[in-house]
């Protein structure tokens, strides 16, 4: 007899997930916390309508990222992907307003101004990488055949899938951190909060390592070659000392 409650409350998947991630879990929360702290800041130089748009978008974005992470943690990969797409669309909307800050006023006041997904992606990277990702995730969101290959009631843990999706989440967070820097430059903001500056430095450094670690676990050879091109010998040494890749 199937006990669906036991399936969903079984914490062995979460334990395996967190053991596999190790300190990358701490890095995830540290970086997400930086996004939240930055978002709470009110900068005098920032346009008031842009601030309202930025605050609303980022608040919802943080919730979506966290929800995607929680779904992944308990083995609901498809559901994690659905929330990931929602989070990406919000991040692209933030990028749209960075590119078009004067549009924020109508969006905030009229509330009927709609920024289409395509407009967001064009503002992000001319619909190149973002367009490809959007199309791939749509296969899951719209319940096409490609979205049911791994369906498992109650979820399942797979380290390769966990790394694949976790990698997308940390790259997304890293992109948002970069968007925040663009906002600082856009409005010539002077940040006097030294704790915020320190948080950004630590979050950026650690999220970078998490991206490299995740990439290394997915494809060690390509990652090492890329790091060699960048002259990141210290990172290579750290990865090779930290992980044993079994061929």
């Amino acid at each position: 007899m199937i006990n669906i409650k036991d399936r969903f409350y079984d914490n062995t998947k979460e334990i395996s997930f967190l053991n596999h991630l190790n300190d990358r879990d701490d890095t995830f929360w540290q970086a997400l916390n930086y996004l939240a702290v930055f978002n709470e800041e009110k900068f005098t130089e920032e346009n008031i309508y842009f601030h309202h748009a930025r605050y609303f978008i980022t608040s919802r974005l943080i919730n979506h990222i966290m929800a995607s992470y929680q779904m992944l943690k308990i083995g609901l990969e498809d559901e994690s992907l659905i929330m990931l797409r929602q989070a990406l669309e919000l991040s692209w909307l933030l990028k749209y307003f960075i590119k078009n800050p004067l549009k924020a006023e109508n969006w905030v006041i009229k509330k009927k101004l709609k920024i289409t997904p395509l407009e967001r992606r064009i503002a992000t990277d001319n619909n190149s990488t973002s367009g490809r990702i959007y199309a791939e995730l749509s296969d899951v969101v719209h319940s096409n055949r490609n979205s049911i290959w791994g369906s498992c009631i109650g979820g399942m843990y797979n380290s390769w899938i966990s790394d694949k999706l976790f990698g997308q989440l940390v790259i997304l967070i890293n992109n948002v951190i970069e968007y925040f820097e663009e906002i600082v430059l856009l409005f010539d903001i002077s940040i006097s909060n030294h704790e915020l500056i320190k948080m950004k430095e630590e979050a950026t450094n650690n999220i970078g390592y998490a991206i490299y670690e995740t990439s290394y676990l997915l494809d060690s050879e390509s990652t090492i070659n890329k790091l060699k091109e960048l002259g990141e010998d210290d990172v290579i040494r750290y990865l090779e000392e930290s992980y044993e890749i079994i061929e």
Side-chain angles (χ1 to χ4, degrees):
M1 176 75 67
I2 293 176
N3 188 318
I4 195 69
K5 181 178 180 180
D6 286 346
R7 283 194 182 185
F8 279 104
Y9 277 92
D10 176 15
N11 67 350
T12 56
K13 299 183 293 293
E14 181 175 346
I15 291 171
S16 297
F17 176 85
L18 292 175
N19 285 340
H20 178 69
L21 251 63
N22 199 3
D23 59 359
R24 287 182 291 166
D25 174 68
D26 292 332
T27 294
F28 171 86
W29 289 110
Q30 178 195 42
L32 204 63
N33 191 56
Y34 168 71
L35 298 189
V37 172
F38 182 98
N39 197 43
E40 291 292 332
E41 289 282 321
K42 294 183 178 179
F43 305 109
T44 56
E45 302 93 334
E46 188 178 14
N47 175 277
I48 185 64
Y49 296 108
F50 185 94
H51 167 76
H52 283 304
R54 182 261 291 177
Y55 182 83
F56 172 81
I57 292 167
T58 305
S59 296
R60 196 173 183 190
L61 173 59
I62 289 171
N63 284 343
H64 284 1
I65 292 173
M66 186 277 292
S68 180
Y69 187 69
Q70 291 298 98
M71 291 297 100
L72 181 59
K73 187 186 295 183
I74 62 176
L76 298 177
E77 294 96 349
D78 286 352
E79 292 70 23
S80 176
L81 281 169
I82 291 170
M83 292 309 304
L84 173 61
R85 194 187 87 148
Q86 297 295 95
L88 283 167
E89 285 197 355
L90 281 168
S91 73
W92 297 334
L93 180 59
L94 180 61
K95 180 67 173 182
Y96 175 88
F97 284 124
I98 293 172
K99 287 285 190 69
N100 304 279
L102 297 180
K103 295 286 184 71
E105 181 174 352
N106 282 338
W107 190 75
V108 170
I109 294 178
K110 295 182 179 179
K111 297 182 180 179
K112 292 184 178 180
L113 176 65
K114 296 186 180 298
I115 314 300
T116 67
L118 179 58
E119 288 177 297
R120 304 175 191 195
R121 298 195 305 273
I122 289 175
T124 299
D125 59 6
N126 202 29
N127 198 34
S128 55
T129 301
S130 62
R132 175 181 56 79
I133 294 173
Y134 183 85
E136 291 174 356
L137 291 177
S138 291
D139 275 344
V140 176
V141 173
H142 297 304
S143 303
N144 295 315
R145 177 62 183 86
N146 290 337
S147 71
I148 61 174
W149 64 272
S151 296
C152 176
I153 296 176
M156 60 182 178
Y157 168 72
N158 180 294
S159 61
W160 188 86
I161 293 176
S162 293
D163 282 326
K164 191 77 173 177
L165 301 191
F166 178 77
Q168 293 298 319
L169 282 173
V170 291
I171 289 172
L172 169 57
I173 293 174
N174 190 63
N175 288 344
V176 178
I177 292 175
E178 292 177 354
Y179 294 165
F180 283 176
E181 185 58 29
E182 290 181 33
I183 292 172
V184 170
L185 295 174
L186 176 64
F187 295 104
D188 196 21
I189 294 171
S190 176
I191 298 179
S192 57
N193 186 336
H194 296 292
E195 185 63 27
L196 183 63
I197 295 172
K198 182 180 178 182
M199 285 182 67
K200 182 208 169 187
E201 291 175 351
E202 292 178 348
T204 301
N205 182 63
N206 291 337
I207 208 77
Y209 268 97
I211 291 171
Y212 284 136
E213 287 180 57
T214 307
S215 176
Y216 183 74
L217 290 171
L218 290 168
D219 189 339
S220 58
E221 184 177 353
S222 295
T223 303
I224 292 298
N225 289 337
K226 181 63 176 179
L227 289 170
K228 286 180 178 177
E229 291 177 11
L230 297 172
E232 296 283 3
D233 295 335
D234 290 341
V235 178
I236 294 173
R237 186 160 45 251
Y238 167 78
L239 292 173
E240 292 181 335
E241 289 176 355
S242 299
Y243 298 99
E244 179 182 357
I245 301 298
I246 299 175
E247 301 294 342

mmCIF file of all heavy atoms in Angstrom, residues 63-92:
data_model
loop_
_atom_site.group_PDB
_atom_site.id
_atom_site.type_symbol
_atom_site.label_atom_id
_atom_site.label_comp_id
_atom_site.label_asym_id
_atom_site.label_seq_id
_atom_site.Cartn_x
_atom_site.Cartn_y
_atom_site.Cartn_z
ATOM 1 N N ASN A 63 12.069 34.825 -3.480
ATOM 2 C CA ASN A 63 11.134 33.751 -3.106
ATOM 3 C C ASN A 63 11.141 32.624 -4.130
ATOM 4 O O ASN A 63 11.112 31.433 -3.776
ATOM 5 C CB ASN A 63 9.718 34.304 -2.968
ATOM 6 C CG ASN A 63 9.521 35.081 -1.681
ATOM 7 O OD1 ASN A 63 10.304 34.973 -0.744
ATOM 8 N ND2 ASN A 63 8.468 35.873 -1.635
ATOM 9 N N HIS A 64 11.170 32.977 -5.400
ATOM 10 C CA HIS A 64 11.165 31.961 -6.457
ATOM 11 C C HIS A 64 12.452 31.130 -6.440
ATOM 12 O O HIS A 64 12.416 29.911 -6.638
ATOM 13 C CB HIS A 64 10.994 32.618 -7.826
ATOM 14 C CG HIS A 64 9.594 33.059 -8.123
ATOM 15 N ND1 HIS A 64 8.564 32.911 -7.244
ATOM 16 C CD2 HIS A 64 9.056 33.668 -9.219
ATOM 17 C CE1 HIS A 64 7.446 33.377 -7.768
ATOM 18 N NE2 HIS A 64 7.714 33.854 -8.972
ATOM 19 N N ILE A 65 13.584 31.798 -6.231
ATOM 20 C CA ILE A 65 14.864 31.078 -6.163
ATOM 21 C C ILE A 65 14.845 30.099 -4.992
ATOM 22 O O ILE A 65 15.252 28.941 -5.115
ATOM 23 C CB ILE A 65 16.043 32.059 -6.028
ATOM 24 C CG1 ILE A 65 16.217 32.867 -7.313
ATOM 25 C CG2 ILE A 65 17.329 31.310 -5.698
ATOM 26 C CD1 ILE A 65 17.256 33.974 -7.211
ATOM 27 N N MET A 66 14.380 30.580 -3.831
ATOM 28 C CA MET A 66 14.311 29.730 -2.653
ATOM 29 C C MET A 66 13.371 28.553 -2.890
ATOM 30 O O MET A 66 13.674 27.412 -2.506
ATOM 31 C CB MET A 66 13.864 30.559 -1.452
ATOM 32 C CG MET A 66 13.893 29.811 -0.112
ATOM 33 S SD MET A 66 12.417 28.807 0.181
ATOM 34 C CE MET A 66 11.191 30.109 0.378
ATOM 35 N N ALA A 67 12.221 28.811 -3.527
ATOM 36 C CA ALA A 67 11.261 27.743 -3.792
ATOM 37 C C ALA A 67 11.853 26.703 -4.740
ATOM 38 O O ALA A 67 11.676 25.496 -4.543
ATOM 39 C CB ALA A 67 9.976 28.326 -4.395
ATOM 40 N N SER A 68 12.563 27.163 -5.762
ATOM 41 C CA SER A 68 13.211 26.238 -6.698
ATOM 42 C C SER A 68 14.236 25.374 -5.972
ATOM 43 O O SER A 68 14.336 24.159 -6.199
ATOM 44 C CB SER A 68 13.892 27.028 -7.829
ATOM 45 O OG SER A 68 14.518 26.156 -8.739
ATOM 46 N N TYR A 69 14.985 26.003 -5.075
ATOM 47 C CA TYR A 69 16.001 25.284 -4.295
ATOM 48 C C TYR A 69 15.351 24.261 -3.368
ATOM 49 O O TYR A 69 15.838 23.115 -3.259
ATOM 50 C CB TYR A 69 16.813 26.294 -3.482
ATOM 51 C CG TYR A 69 17.998 25.701 -2.750
ATOM 52 C CD1 TYR A 69 19.102 25.222 -3.441
ATOM 53 C CD2 TYR A 69 18.013 25.643 -1.360
ATOM 54 C CE1 TYR A 69 20.195 24.702 -2.777
ATOM 55 C CE2 TYR A 69 19.103 25.126 -0.681
ATOM 56 C CZ TYR A 69 20.189 24.660 -1.395
ATOM 57 O OH TYR A 69 21.264 24.130 -0.730
ATOM 58 N N GLN A 70 14.278 24.639 -2.709
ATOM 59 C CA GLN A 70 13.604 23.721 -1.790
ATOM 60 C C GLN A 70 13.026 22.525 -2.542
ATOM 61 O O GLN A 70 13.080 21.390 -2.050
ATOM 62 C CB GLN A 70 12.490 24.450 -1.035
ATOM 63 C CG GLN A 70 12.985 25.486 -0.037
ATOM 64 C CD GLN A 70 13.834 24.883 1.067
ATOM 65 O OE1 GLN A 70 15.058 24.902 1.010
ATOM 66 N NE2 GLN A 70 13.169 24.351 2.077
ATOM 67 N N MET A 71 12.471 22.753 -3.723
ATOM 68 C CA MET A 71 11.943 21.658 -4.528
ATOM 69 C C MET A 71 13.067 20.701 -4.933
ATOM 70 O O MET A 71 12.917 19.486 -4.901
ATOM 71 C CB MET A 71 11.244 22.192 -5.780
ATOM 72 C CG MET A 71 9.946 22.938 -5.532
ATOM 73 S SD MET A 71 8.632 21.926 -4.803
ATOM 74 C CE MET A 71 8.776 22.425 -3.069
ATOM 75 N N LEU A 72 14.198 21.270 -5.317
ATOM 76 C CA LEU A 72 15.346 20.449 -5.704
ATOM 77 C C LEU A 72 15.854 19.647 -4.510
ATOM 78 O O LEU A 72 16.229 18.479 -4.644
ATOM 79 C CB LEU A 72 16.464 21.357 -6.247
ATOM 80 C CG LEU A 72 17.743 20.662 -6.731
ATOM 81 C CD1 LEU A 72 17.433 19.674 -7.851
ATOM 82 C CD2 LEU A 72 18.750 21.706 -7.205
ATOM 83 N N LYS A 73 15.835 20.266 -3.348
ATOM 84 C CA LYS A 73 16.343 19.628 -2.129
ATOM 85 C C LYS A 73 15.557 18.359 -1.781
ATOM 86 O O LYS A 73 16.125 17.398 -1.257
ATOM 87 C CB LYS A 73 16.276 20.621 -0.970
ATOM 88 C CG LYS A 73 16.931 20.132 0.311
ATOM 89 C CD LYS A 73 16.705 21.108 1.453
ATOM 90 C CE LYS A 73 17.383 22.434 1.216
ATOM 91 N NZ LYS A 73 17.227 23.354 2.368
ATOM 92 N N ILE A 74 14.253 18.354 -2.068
ATOM 93 C CA ILE A 74 13.451 17.176 -1.735
ATOM 94 C C ILE A 74 13.218 16.276 -2.947
ATOM 95 O O ILE A 74 12.381 15.375 -2.916
ATOM 96 C CB ILE A 74 12.107 17.574 -1.096
ATOM 97 C CG1 ILE A 74 11.246 18.403 -2.051
ATOM 98 C CG2 ILE A 74 12.338 18.326 0.202
ATOM 99 C CD1 ILE A 74 9.854 18.735 -1.487
ATOM 100 N N GLY A 75 13.941 16.540 -4.010
ATOM 101 C CA GLY A 75 13.923 15.636 -5.152
ATOM 102 C C GLY A 75 12.862 15.884 -6.187
ATOM 103 O O GLY A 75 12.630 15.044 -7.058
ATOM 104 N N LEU A 76 12.180 17.028 -6.139
ATOM 105 C CA LEU A 76 11.154 17.350 -7.134
ATOM 106 C C LEU A 76 11.785 18.193 -8.239
ATOM 107 O O LEU A 76 11.628 19.414 -8.299
ATOM 108 C CB LEU A 76 9.985 18.085 -6.470
ATOM 109 C CG LEU A 76 9.232 17.292 -5.396
ATOM 110 C CD1 LEU A 76 8.153 18.142 -4.749
ATOM 111 C CD2 LEU A 76 8.616 16.018 -5.979
ATOM 112 N N GLU A 77 12.508 17.508 -9.124
ATOM 113 C CA GLU A 77 13.304 18.216 -10.129
ATOM 114 C C GLU A 77 12.448 19.001 -11.122
ATOM 115 O O GLU A 77 12.771 20.148 -11.458
ATOM 116 C CB GLU A 77 14.209 17.238 -10.894
ATOM 117 C CG GLU A 77 15.280 16.589 -10.042
ATOM 118 C CD GLU A 77 14.864 15.220 -9.535
ATOM 119 O OE1 GLU A 77 13.666 14.885 -9.679
ATOM 120 O OE2 GLU A 77 15.720 14.501 -8.984
ATOM 121 N N ASP A 78 11.371 18.380 -11.628
ATOM 122 C CA ASP A 78 10.518 19.079 -12.595
ATOM 123 C C ASP A 78 9.916 20.337 -11.991
ATOM 124 O O ASP A 78 9.864 21.399 -12.620
ATOM 125 C CB ASP A 78 9.397 18.159 -13.085
ATOM 126 C CG ASP A 78 9.894 17.096 -14.052
ATOM 127 O OD1 ASP A 78 11.071 17.187 -14.441
ATOM 128 O OD2 ASP A 78 9.118 16.199 -14.411
ATOM 129 N N GLU A 79 9.453 20.225 -10.748
ATOM 130 C CA GLU A 79 8.861 21.365 -10.060
ATOM 131 C C GLU A 79 9.906 22.449 -9.801
ATOM 132 O O GLU A 79 9.615 23.651 -9.862
ATOM 133 C CB GLU A 79 8.216 20.912 -8.747
ATOM 134 C CG GLU A 79 6.985 20.039 -8.912
ATOM 135 C CD GLU A 79 7.270 18.642 -9.456
ATOM 136 O OE1 GLU A 79 8.420 18.169 -9.318
ATOM 137 O OE2 GLU A 79 6.355 18.023 -10.016
ATOM 138 N N SER A 80 11.138 22.027 -9.536
ATOM 139 C CA SER A 80 12.234 22.975 -9.360
ATOM 140 C C SER A 80 12.483 23.754 -10.647
ATOM 141 O O SER A 80 12.712 24.967 -10.620
ATOM 142 C CB SER A 80 13.515 22.230 -8.945
ATOM 143 O OG SER A 80 14.614 23.117 -8.852
ATOM 144 N N LEU A 81 12.398 23.066 -11.781
ATOM 145 C CA LEU A 81 12.599 23.714 -13.076
ATOM 146 C C LEU A 81 11.497 24.729 -13.370
ATOM 147 O O LEU A 81 11.755 25.788 -13.948
ATOM 148 C CB LEU A 81 12.640 22.664 -14.186
ATOM 149 C CG LEU A 81 13.959 21.909 -14.355
ATOM 150 C CD1 LEU A 81 13.768 20.730 -15.303
ATOM 151 C CD2 LEU A 81 15.043 22.833 -14.871
ATOM 152 N N ILE A 82 10.275 24.405 -12.974
ATOM 153 C CA ILE A 82 9.161 25.335 -13.195
ATOM 154 C C ILE A 82 9.411 26.635 -12.439
ATOM 155 O O ILE A 82 9.247 27.737 -12.982
ATOM 156 C CB ILE A 82 7.830 24.693 -12.757
ATOM 157 C CG1 ILE A 82 7.461 23.542 -13.708
ATOM 158 C CG2 ILE A 82 6.713 25.738 -12.732
ATOM 159 C CD1 ILE A 82 6.293 22.693 -13.242
ATOM 160 N N MET A 83 9.832 26.529 -11.177
ATOM 161 C CA MET A 83 10.119 27.718 -10.388
ATOM 162 C C MET A 83 11.362 28.444 -10.905
ATOM 163 O O MET A 83 11.447 29.671 -10.834
ATOM 164 C CB MET A 83 10.298 27.360 -8.918
ATOM 165 C CG MET A 83 9.034 26.897 -8.225
ATOM 166 S SD MET A 83 7.627 28.030 -8.459
ATOM 167 C CE MET A 83 8.299 29.571 -7.850
ATOM 168 N N LEU A 84 12.300 27.688 -11.439
ATOM 169 C CA LEU A 84 13.505 28.302 -12.010
ATOM 170 C C LEU A 84 13.136 29.191 -13.185
ATOM 171 O O LEU A 84 13.658 30.305 -13.328
ATOM 172 C CB LEU A 84 14.494 27.226 -12.451
ATOM 173 C CG LEU A 84 15.729 27.711 -13.227
ATOM 174 C CD1 LEU A 84 16.565 28.672 -12.379
ATOM 175 C CD2 LEU A 84 16.578 26.533 -13.698
ATOM 176 N N ARG A 85 12.241 28.717 -14.032
ATOM 177 C CA ARG A 85 11.829 29.537 -15.176
ATOM 178 C C ARG A 85 11.160 30.824 -14.699
ATOM 179 O O ARG A 85 11.405 31.901 -15.241
ATOM 180 C CB ARG A 85 10.892 28.783 -16.110
ATOM 181 C CG ARG A 85 10.750 29.501 -17.461
ATOM 182 C CD ARG A 85 9.714 28.876 -18.362
ATOM 183 N NE ARG A 85 8.387 29.424 -18.109
ATOM 184 C CZ ARG A 85 7.448 29.558 -19.053
ATOM 185 N NH1 ARG A 85 7.689 29.183 -20.287
ATOM 186 N NH2 ARG A 85 6.264 30.050 -18.748
ATOM 187 N N GLN A 86 10.321 30.721 -13.683
ATOM 188 C CA GLN A 86 9.678 31.902 -13.132
ATOM 189 C C GLN A 86 10.714 32.884 -12.593
ATOM 190 O O GLN A 86 10.601 34.105 -12.784
ATOM 191 C CB GLN A 86 8.713 31.499 -12.009
ATOM 192 C CG GLN A 86 7.554 30.614 -12.453
ATOM 193 C CD GLN A 86 6.616 31.319 -13.411
ATOM 194 O OE1 GLN A 86 6.753 31.178 -14.629
ATOM 195 N NE2 GLN A 86 5.695 32.092 -12.881
ATOM 196 N N ALA A 87 11.724 32.350 -11.923
ATOM 197 C CA ALA A 87 12.785 33.195 -11.367
ATOM 198 C C ALA A 87 13.583 33.874 -12.473
ATOM 199 O O ALA A 87 13.922 35.062 -12.391
ATOM 200 C CB ALA A 87 13.710 32.368 -10.477
ATOM 201 N N LEU A 88 13.871 33.120 -13.531
ATOM 202 C CA LEU A 88 14.622 33.693 -14.645
ATOM 203 C C LEU A 88 13.841 34.826 -15.303
ATOM 204 O O LEU A 88 14.409 35.873 -15.638
ATOM 205 C CB LEU A 88 14.940 32.602 -15.674
ATOM 206 C CG LEU A 88 16.069 31.650 -15.310
ATOM 207 C CD1 LEU A 88 16.076 30.445 -16.234
ATOM 208 C CD2 LEU A 88 17.421 32.365 -15.371
ATOM 209 N N GLU A 89 12.544 34.635 -15.477
ATOM 210 C CA GLU A 89 11.735 35.685 -16.103
ATOM 211 C C GLU A 89 11.766 36.965 -15.264
ATOM 212 O O GLU A 89 11.787 38.073 -15.806
ATOM 213 C CB GLU A 89 10.293 35.205 -16.294
ATOM 214 C CG GLU A 89 10.130 34.222 -17.447
ATOM 215 C CD GLU A 89 8.679 34.086 -17.881
ATOM 216 O OE1 GLU A 89 7.799 34.684 -17.233
ATOM 217 O OE2 GLU A 89 8.436 33.387 -18.871
ATOM 218 N N LEU A 90 11.767 36.809 -13.946
ATOM 219 C CA LEU A 90 11.848 37.982 -13.077
ATOM 220 C C LEU A 90 13.215 38.653 -13.179
ATOM 221 O O LEU A 90 13.315 39.883 -13.198
ATOM 222 C CB LEU A 90 11.569 37.583 -11.623
ATOM 223 C CG LEU A 90 10.092 37.392 -11.270
ATOM 224 C CD1 LEU A 90 9.961 36.726 -9.910
ATOM 225 C CD2 LEU A 90 9.351 38.722 -11.277
ATOM 226 N N SER A 91 14.272 37.855 -13.242
ATOM 227 C CA SER A 91 15.607 38.441 -13.369
ATOM 228 C C SER A 91 15.744 39.180 -14.686
ATOM 229 O O SER A 91 16.367 40.248 -14.761
ATOM 230 C CB SER A 91 16.687 37.355 -13.251
ATOM 231 O OG SER A 91 16.740 36.530 -14.405
ATOM 232 N N TRP A 92 15.147 38.641 -15.750
ATOM 233 C CA TRP A 92 15.187 39.315 -17.048
ATOM 234 C C TRP A 92 14.353 40.592 -17.031
ATOM 235 O O TRP A 92 14.681 41.553 -17.725
ATOM 236 C CB TRP A 92 14.700 38.362 -18.145
ATOM 237 C CG TRP A 92 15.572 37.146 -18.309
ATOM 238 C CD1 TRP A 92 16.900 37.042 -17.995
ATOM 239 C CD2 TRP A 92 15.177 35.861 -18.792
ATOM 240 N NE1 TRP A 92 17.370 35.786 -18.260
ATOM 241 C CE2 TRP A 92 16.335 35.027 -18.757
ATOM 242 C CE3 TRP A 92 13.981 35.315 -19.257
ATOM 243 C CZ2 TRP A 92 16.306 33.685 -19.166
ATOM 244 C CZ3 TRP A 92 13.953 33.992 -19.666
ATOM 245 C CH2 TRP A 92 15.103 33.188 -19.624
#
